[in-house]
Amino acid sequence: MAELVDDFDWDNVGASGFGGNYNSEQRAELEKLYGDTLTTVQEEEVIKGTVVGITDRDVILNIGFKSDGLVPLSEFRDLPELKVGDEVDVFIEDQEDANGQLILSRKKAKIKQAWNAIYSALENDTVLEGVVKRRTKGGLIMEMDGVEAFLPGSQIDVKPIRDFDIYVGRRMEVKVVKINAAFDNVVVSHKVLIEKDLEQQREAILNNLEKGQILEGNIKNMTNFGVFIDLGGVDGLLHITDISWGRIAHPSEALQLDQKLNVVVLDFDEAKKRISLGLKQLTPHPWDSLPADLGPGSRVQGRIVNVADYGAFMEVVPGVEGLIHVSEMSWSQHLRNPQDFIKQGDIVEAVVLTLDREERKMSLGIKQLTEDPWTRGDFAEKFAVGTKHSGTVRNLTNFGLFVELEEGVDGLVHVSDLSWTKKIKHPSEVVKVGDKLDVVVLELDMPARRLALGVKQLEENPWDTFQTVFTPGSVHKATITEKSDRGAVLELPYGIEGFAYPKGLVKEDGTTAENGEQLDFRVTEFSKDDRRIVLSHTAVYNKEDESNKSSNSKFAKKAPAAGGATQGEGKLSDLKKPADKNTLGDLDALSALRDQMATTERQTAEDRLKNRVENQVPLAGPSPDNADIA
């Protein structure tokens, strides 16, 4: 407790007023003392403060103002060793709140200082450091002393980045490339720092680059046509064809992203700064390592790497391919699509046909693995003339069709050997490619590898029967199927065709028969050898016309000499004439017998044809329509 001064002059104090006892020197000294301890501060300003106390919740700071300020202890978490006497930067939020308290913030001081540093870095092109806090769409979010900045994915590195998460939590140096003050957005780049470092390396590489030089690089990017190699500041293209001596569909079959490997410079374009690289050139060519005993006749096994219209390529060993031409895939004479035999990726065995090591070409064959059917010992017996076979129609031509009897054995069926009755202009009228067809061997020529086949020969010649049915003078129902200026084609019973001249198409009422009409026609001419039947409707009702046609027919018997009888009449008269006189009754009896025999023979032939039709036996040819009765 302070001691009381008994001799204090209280009256003197009151008389001079407050501070009246100080002279001018003492007052100046006292003001100086106060001036050194008190400072003038401005709000929203960053100044230094001294820690004068630390509580459980706040840090007490002296900034030289009339009162001390409080800052939450949570804003000093980055300074765990903070103690009394330390100086820190603080932001003056308010000189005096409602309670007369000075309000300070260290967090806002850091943010303002950070923005100042950011603007300064953009203006002066300086480097800043920050921490990657998280990834976002298209890039990363960095924090630089409380200010968040966006680092685009394309600005992280000179090579494409596939996994942004590996950068989260990492400290990185960046440069400010853009500031949007209205939205407080900052865009930074780490790539520009790397590019500056790589520029010197790029110049050094380009200045010393030459063909054949071996360089080390990392796979930067991968495409369908090749990979891009980072050679240390400059990129080169390794084309897919220069990755391996063998065929690959995609670079990923042989390489991986970020893989380090040695490559050789194949070409360099100084103007465009393009570098072509090779990888397979660092290993010997597979053709140079082929076994010495490999040659024509050797059997090899490999994988089909490509199939074209003319054949397939087989990879014997990686980098060595041989062509299997489509003609060497089968003994068949008909070239087909190679896809019918093999597919890409198949593992097949083949025989080496030719081998040129200098040109690096090889031809292979598959059919040579099996015996040539034309050289088999039983071939002549199996396909002897008269033997019957079943085959597949492989090709149609104007003159006939080719039938494959077995693999490598083909025969020709001429168009004239398709039907006994129909005049076929083109094989497509009765068959199509792929049909199964029964045939008979007509001719075999083994040296020329030719087989002549027939279809109609499988059945007997119906014209032997037709000549007893369609006798001259007989009448039949017929339908006009085709008409022209020369005449009309008629469809007769049993699938046979006949012909009528224009004069024979005149009906009894004077009109002319038209297409589709079915009328009675009389046979005026019949030729088995020419397979020709001429008919006439007019002759049905006009006996004189029929008689004239018969006498004018080229198939009619010649008239006898004047005054003489025909050869047939002479014979009949000799048979019928008795020793002393002619008997008219005998002649009539012989005529009746002749008519009866002709009628019986004709009826037998018709019954025979009807029986064949009822049993669905084709009259001739492969077409089922031949069995129909018009």
Side-chain angles (χ1 to χ4, degrees):
M1 186 175 178
E3 295 183 1
L4 296 175
V5 179
D6 294 337
D7 58 352
F8 184 77
D9 189 0
W10 290 95
D11 296 333
N12 194 20
V13 172
S16 60
F18 182 77
N21 294 330
Y22 292 100
N23 56 31
S24 59
E25 294 180 356
Q26 290 174 330
R27 181 179 291 277
E29 183 180 357
L30 184 61
E31 288 178 355
K32 183 177 180 302
L33 291 174
Y34 278 106
D36 293 339
T37 58
L38 296 176
T39 59
T40 301
V41 296
Q42 299 291 333
E43 291 182 0
E44 296 184 358
E45 186 181 28
V46 177
I47 63 173
K48 285 195 175 292
T50 303
V51 178
V52 295
I54 300 175
T55 67
D56 294 338
R57 298 179 57 186
D58 302 307
V59 175
I60 304 171
L61 295 171
N62 178 16
I63 62 171
F65 196 53
K66 63 181 181 180
S67 62
D68 294 335
L70 298 178
V71 178
L73 183 61
S74 61
E75 294 188 15
F76 294 89
R77 282 180 294 186
D78 59 328
L79 298 175
E81 298 181 359
L82 183 69
K83 61 184 183 298
V84 176
D86 290 347
E87 286 188 348
V88 294
D89 292 325
V90 290
F91 178 80
I92 301 174
E93 292 190 60
D94 196 350
Q95 293 184 5
E96 186 176 356
D97 63 0
N99 298 322
Q101 180 67 47
L102 175 65
I103 306 301
L104 305 175
S105 173
R106 181 171 180 264
K107 179 180 180 181
K108 291 185 178 180
K110 292 176 61 179
I111 293 176
K112 187 168 184 178
Q113 288 178 326
W115 275 106
N116 292 335
I118 289 171
Y119 277 101
S120 176
L122 178 61
E123 182 178 355
N124 301 318
D125 195 27
T126 56
V127 179
L128 297 179
E129 190 177 78
V131 179
V132 178
K133 303 299 293 183
R134 64 185 183 278
R135 67 165 297 176
T136 186
K137 183 178 179 180
L140 302 171
I141 298 298
M142 295 186 64
E143 182 180 321
M144 296 180 295
D145 293 331
V147 177
E148 289 189 345
F150 177 60
L151 175 59
S154 61
Q155 297 298 316
I156 297 176
D157 205 337
V158 292
K159 61 182 180 180
I161 303 300
R162 289 169 292 278
D163 185 11
F164 292 164
D165 292 331
I166 61 175
Y167 290 93
V168 176
R170 183 184 300 182
R171 295 191 69 84
M172 297 178 64
E173 289 185 337
V174 294
K175 274 192 173 184
V176 180
V177 295
K178 184 179 180 182
I179 297 177
N180 188 335
F183 298 96
D184 290 338
N185 290 337
V186 182
V187 181
V188 297
S189 172
H190 179 66
K191 177 181 177 180
V192 294
L193 299 176
I194 301 176
E195 287 179 336
K196 285 189 175 182
D197 295 337
L198 294 178
E199 187 62 31
Q200 296 179 351
Q201 299 180 28
R202 181 183 294 110
E203 292 298 329
I205 293 175
L206 295 177
N207 291 334
N208 299 322
L209 199 63
E210 58 184 16
K211 292 182 181 180
Q213 185 179 4
I214 298 177
L215 302 174
E216 184 181 66
N218 294 318
I219 297 179
K220 178 180 179 180
N221 193 17
M222 190 172 292
T223 66
N224 292 332
F225 57 85
V227 296
F228 289 94
I229 308 294
D230 182 4
L231 302 174
V234 62
D235 294 344
L237 174 62
L238 174 60
H239 197 268
I240 187 172
T241 57
D242 292 314
I243 294 176
S244 171
W245 289 113
R247 294 200 188 200
I248 56 176
H250 194 272
S252 58
E253 297 180 13
L255 303 173
Q256 296 178 350
L257 285 172
D258 300 324
Q259 180 181 347
K260 182 179 291 186
L261 71 167
N262 292 328
V263 290
V264 60
V265 178
L266 302 180
D267 197 8
F268 173 54
D269 188 337
E270 294 185 4
K272 298 182 180 180
K273 294 185 178 180
R274 291 181 181 176
I275 305 174
S276 298
L277 305 174
L279 179 62
K280 70 180 183 181
Q281 289 79 4
L282 296 176
T283 58
H285 199 289
W287 273 91
D288 299 332
S289 57
L290 283 178
D293 58 348
L294 184 67
S298 301
R299 290 196 175 192
V300 292
Q301 189 179 56
R303 179 174 63 93
I304 302 299
V305 293
N306 188 30
V307 180
D309 294 337
Y310 53 86
F313 291 91
M314 186 180 84
E315 187 179 57
V316 180
V317 295
V320 177
E321 297 177 3
L323 172 63
I324 307 174
H325 194 268
V326 63
S327 62
E328 303 298 338
M329 294 181 180
S330 170
W331 288 109
S332 175
Q333 300 298 316
H334 302 287
L335 298 181
R336 285 176 275 175
N337 192 328
Q339 293 279 2
D340 296 339
F341 301 97
I342 50 183
K343 302 289 187 297
Q344 186 169 337
D346 289 350
I347 303 298
V348 298
E349 187 177 9
V351 175
V352 177
L353 302 180
T354 62
L355 179 64
D356 190 336
R357 295 177 183 267
E358 293 183 0
E359 295 293 332
R360 293 176 177 174
K361 292 181 180 180
M362 182 188 304
S363 62
L364 306 171
I366 296 178
K367 71 180 184 182
Q368 288 75 11
L369 297 172
T370 59
E371 185 181 3
D372 183 354
W374 284 86
T375 61
R376 289 200 312 259
D378 62 342
F379 185 86
E381 181 181 354
K382 183 177 180 179
F383 296 100
V385 174
T387 55
K388 297 179 181 180
H389 304 274
S390 180
T392 303
V393 178
R394 291 298 183 193
N395 191 24
L396 302 179
T397 66
N398 292 329
F399 54 84
L401 57 94
F402 289 92
V403 179
E404 185 178 52
L405 303 182
E406 64 178 51
E407 190 74 20
V409 180
D410 298 339
L412 171 65
V413 180
H414 195 270
V415 66
S416 62
D417 291 317
L418 285 173
S419 174
W420 286 111
T421 59
K422 286 191 173 183
K423 292 183 179 180
I424 299 173
K425 298 179 180 179
H426 194 277
S428 60
E429 298 176 14
V430 291
V431 294
K432 59 180 181 296
V433 174
D435 284 353
K436 292 292 183 180
L437 195 64
D438 292 332
V439 294
V440 61
V441 177
L442 304 180
E443 183 182 346
L444 173 62
D445 187 349
M446 291 189 62
R449 293 178 176 248
R450 291 179 181 176
L451 272 175
L453 307 174
V455 174
K456 70 181 184 181
Q457 288 80 2
L458 292 171
E459 302 294 336
E460 63 178 327
N461 189 350
W463 285 87
D464 295 335
T465 306
F466 288 157
Q467 70 178 349
T468 61
V469 175
F470 299 98
T471 57
S474 60
V475 178
H476 305 271
K477 288 283 187 181
T479 302
I480 301 175
T481 59
E482 189 178 335
K483 189 177 178 183
S484 66
D485 295 338
R486 297 180 56 194
V489 178
L490 309 176
E491 184 179 358
L492 294 165
Y494 317 113
I496 192 171
E497 291 182 349
F499 182 78
Y501 289 103
K503 290 192 296 184
L505 298 175
V506 179
K507 295 190 287 186
E508 193 170 2
D509 58 2
T511 61
T512 303
E514 301 295 337
N515 262 349
E517 287 193 61
Q518 187 179 42
L519 303 170
D520 287 333
F521 284 84
R522 185 181 299 278
V523 177
T524 60
E525 297 179 14
F526 182 91
S527 174
K528 171 185 172 184
D529 296 334
D530 295 333
R531 286 184 292 177
R532 174 182 173 88
I533 303 178
V534 179
L535 304 101
S536 171
H537 172 69
T538 306
V540 173
Y541 62 85
N542 189 338
K543 296 294 185 178
E544 181 181 355
D545 181 75
E546 184 273 332
S547 185
N548 290 335
K549 286 185 178 290
S550 298
S551 61
N552 293 331
S553 172
K554 65 178 181 178
F555 304 110
K557 296 180 180 179
K558 293 183 179 180
T566 63
Q567 184 179 1
E569 290 174 347
K571 290 183 178 180
L572 285 174
S573 60
D574 291 342
L575 290 172
K576 299 173 185 176
K577 184 172 62 174
D580 54 350
K581 64 178 179 177
N582 292 331
T583 305
L584 184 60
D586 293 341
L587 293 175
D588 293 341
L590 287 174
S591 178
L593 179 61
R594 183 188 63 187
D595 294 341
Q596 182 181 359
M597 291 177 62
T599 302
T600 302
E601 184 178 0
R602 178 178 177 182
Q603 185 63 43
T604 302
E606 289 182 352
D607 292 342
R608 184 179 180 186
L609 290 174
K610 289 180 180 179
N611 182 57
R612 292 171 63 87
V613 172
E614 290 174 357
N615 291 290
Q616 297 184 349
V617 177
L619 294 175
S623 174
D625 296 337
N626 292 342
D628 297 335
I629 299 177

